[in-house]
Amino acid sequence: VDTVRRLAMACPAIAFTVIGDEERILLRLPSAPSREAQLAALLGRDFAENSVPVMAERQGFRLSGQIGLPTLNRGVARDQYLVVNGRPVRDKLLVGAVRGAYQDVLAKDRHPVVALFLDGPPGEIDVNVHPAKAEVRFRDAGLIRGLIVGALRHALEAAGQRSSTTG
């Protein structure tokens, strides 16, 4: 189900259904008219109400998405959705950059809820690092880390000291 959620995050125009034992529907996600609508369907109303948009560009790379306010956090990093050139990934560099961006506003054992989409030149990204294609390698890792940390910190600062609207 988690894998399908990640695919749905990357492809909002496609409807997904997961059917389990005895034809029980485990997950049904209709196609969404926009990425924002898909994020709300996948991550819930709390995320939609307690997140801020992220948009940044640097040297041919474009970062977009929604990030949760520091008050909206989890005990595990499960709700961190990272998509590179339309492919859901679980990359150590990207996760570390997200952690670095939140380090001053979030307790060490807590994890932010984020949905980030990074697009860049295919020649700058090696997707053949992991057999399942779940990890990527960037030609300039420092550029990507700086882009993510800077964009997330800027978005959080722009949100001010807003706290969560729901408990």
Side-chain angles (χ1 to χ4, degrees):
V1 171
D2 183 57
T3 300
V4 173
R5 282 182 182 278
R6 291 180 187 283
L7 288 170
M9 185 77 61
C11 306
I14 300 173
F16 290 86
T17 302
V18 177
I19 300 173
D21 295 335
E22 300 176 16
E23 301 297 314
R24 197 174 115 234
I25 295 176
L26 302 176
L27 178 69
R28 182 184 307 266
L29 293 168
S31 62
S34 68
R35 181 175 282 165
E36 292 75 22
Q38 186 73 312
L39 293 178
L42 284 166
L43 297 174
R45 195 173 108 205
D46 280 353
F47 181 75
E49 293 175 354
N50 296 292
S51 64
V52 294
V54 171
M55 183 69 68
E57 290 187 41
R58 189 180 296 170
Q59 296 181 18
F61 285 91
R62 181 174 187 265
L63 179 70
S64 61
Q66 294 277 123
I67 61 171
L69 295 172
T71 51
L72 179 68
N73 59 69
R74 305 280 190 262
V76 294
R78 180 186 63 234
D79 288 336
Q80 292 183 358
Y81 295 89
L82 307 167
V83 178
V84 176
N85 283 355
R87 176 185 304 208
V89 297
R90 293 184 187 187
D91 186 77
K92 291 176 188 171
L93 170 76
L94 302 178
V95 170
V98 169
R99 188 179 307 117
Y102 277 86
Q103 74 182 0
D104 294 338
V105 294
L106 200 59
K108 188 189 226 180
D109 61 341
R110 304 302 293 177
H111 303 275
V113 179
V114 301
L116 295 174
F117 304 86
L118 180 66
D119 294 299
E124 299 292 316
I125 305 167
D126 183 1
V127 296
N128 293 315
V129 176
H130 189 272
K133 310 292 188 225
E135 295 178 21
V136 293
R137 188 166 292 134
F138 299 95
R139 182 168 283 164
D140 188 350
L143 168 74
I144 302 305
R145 180 173 171 71
L147 172 64
I148 292 171
V149 172
L152 271 59
R153 283 186 177 170
H154 179 73
L156 291 172
E157 287 171 11
Q161 296 298 316
R162 228 175 89 198
S163 61
S164 177
T165 60
T166 56

